[in-house]
Amino acid sequence: MNATFTLHPLTADDFETIALLGAAIWRKHFIGMISREQIDYMVSGRYTPEKLSRYLDAPDRWFRLLRVEGRLIGYCSYALAEPPGEMKLEQLYLLEKMRGRGLGGRMMDEVEAAARAKDCATLMLTVNRHNTDAIAVYQKRGFSVREEVAADIGNGFVMDDYVMVKALI
């Protein structure tokens, strides 16, 4: 990837843009894994100003925007988790047409470096059990499945996920 890419912190001015980008990515990527109704439900609750503002100047969570040649094409978020010494990769999303260029790996590098800087021994994430492409990418980066979880997220919807972990030490 020869194009110039940058990762920079979320600001309040980015909220609307992130909501639009997140909705576009979710509606394209997850439609074969979960219903359109569940996607709409999750998107409507995930990208609210109240939820996004939790990342502004927070000491325990971060949200980074990925731009290539100045154009927003993806984002990631991560937070300190329980138990202590563990960081959670909360989100890592990239426009479909930008996948396969190492950009997701660049975001993952950012998250792993942040986890190490906070003395975290483990990086964990949750991934839909039917998201085989993402699971394969995470496995190539050294993640393994710790457990399976089915979480009720309200409105009759369930997240059917794997919890995956990677040792950082």
Side-chain angles (χ1 to χ4, degrees):
M1 175 92 214
N2 292 330
T4 302
F5 79 94
T6 58
L7 274 167
H8 59 90
L10 178 74
T11 68
D13 292 338
D14 300 312
F15 289 0
E16 184 177 342
T17 305
I18 284 298
L20 293 171
L21 180 63
I25 291 171
W26 273 72
R27 289 188 174 108
K28 178 121 178 130
H29 183 74
F30 288 102
I31 194 62
M33 295 173 230
I34 57 178
S35 70
R36 180 167 301 283
E37 293 80 14
Q38 184 168 345
I39 292 169
D40 290 344
Y41 174 76
M42 292 179 72
V43 165
S44 69
R46 182 170 288 219
Y47 300 104
T48 65
E50 295 77 26
K51 291 245 173 113
L52 292 172
S53 66
R54 294 179 190 168
Y55 294 93
L56 302 179
D57 301 318
D60 62 345
R61 63 187 57 237
W62 302 267
F63 198 114
R64 300 291 183 253
L65 308 173
L66 176 67
R67 294 185 187 276
V68 171
E69 302 297 331
R71 195 172 73 104
L72 182 62
I73 57 132
Y75 57 94
C76 62
S77 69
Y78 46 98
L80 295 176
E82 292 296 327
E86 191 164 281
M87 182 163 300
K88 181 178 184 184
L89 171 61
E90 299 172 320
Q91 304 177 80
L92 193 150
Y93 296 112
L94 190 60
L95 286 172
E96 182 179 43
K97 65 184 176 185
M98 299 305 288
R99 293 184 192 144
R101 301 177 188 198
L103 294 165
R106 302 276 180 105
M107 287 191 285
M108 184 64 77
D109 292 344
E110 161 89 6
V111 174
E112 289 182 16
R116 286 184 175 97
K118 293 291 183 182
D119 294 322
C120 293
T122 304
L123 181 59
M124 64 87 65
L125 59 89
T126 58
V127 59
N128 184 291
R129 283 194 267 192
H130 303 291
N131 196 349
T132 55
D133 291 343
I135 292 167
V137 167
Y138 294 137
Q139 288 173 327
K140 280 184 180 179
R141 286 200 63 111
F143 285 84
S144 60
V145 174
R146 177 165 70 190
E147 63 184 305
E148 296 179 17
V149 294
D152 181 343
I153 59 168
N155 213 35
F157 298 117
V158 173
M159 291 297 297
D160 192 20
D161 291 338
Y162 288 128
V163 175
M164 298 184 79
V165 294
K166 176 181 181 176
L168 297 176
I169 298 176

